[in-house]
Amino acid sequence: VNMATETAVFMCANDGSRMELRSGRYSAFYACPAYASDKHCTNRISMKDADQIIRECEIPGKLYQIRRYQVYFDQRDGLKTYHVRRNE
């Protein structure tokens, strides 16, 4: 995990839950707590895409389209929050 992702919070735009860092077969990724559960949320972000989202989202209150994600960026009290919805 790099320094940029340590100061960022990723939120699932589908249900508002804070996304969790998980270990995958090939790499780590962020996923909704309901990912791979009986609720079946498929919202997830690779570490590479998370880094790109952090680099490209600069204006709080703006909606971004980055790769396959819609991202709403917010920043309060130094905490950067990214509300992410994966386009299926």
Side-chain angles (χ1 to χ4, degrees):
V1 178
N2 67 33
M3 290 301 290
T5 56
E6 290 178 8
T7 60
V9 174
F10 292 96
M11 304 294 289
C12 178
N14 295 336
D15 67 6
S17 298
R18 185 176 180 154
M19 297 179 96
E20 303 170 337
L21 186 61
R22 296 183 176 209
S23 295
R25 184 175 183 174
Y26 300 105
S27 64
F29 63 97
Y30 287 95
C32 176
Y35 179 78
S37 73
D38 58 345
K39 295 178 186 174
H40 300 297
C41 182
T42 59
N43 209 9
R44 63 191 181 284
I45 313 168
S46 71
M47 293 303 289
K48 179 181 175 185
D49 290 341
D51 286 340
Q52 183 175 356
I53 288 169
I54 290 168
R55 280 194 316 272
E56 293 188 22
C57 293
E58 297 177 349
I59 303 170
K62 184 175 176 186
L63 183 65
Y64 291 85
Q65 180 67 44
I66 299 174
R67 296 182 46 116
R68 65 185 86 133
Y69 307 97
Q70 285 184 338
V71 181
Y72 177 78
F73 172 56
D74 190 21
Q75 184 173 1
R76 293 185 190 159
D77 300 324
L79 181 63
K80 296 179 179 182
T81 306
Y82 303 86
H83 301 266
V84 180
R85 175 173 288 125
R86 183 182 172 110
N87 300 327
E88 297 294 330

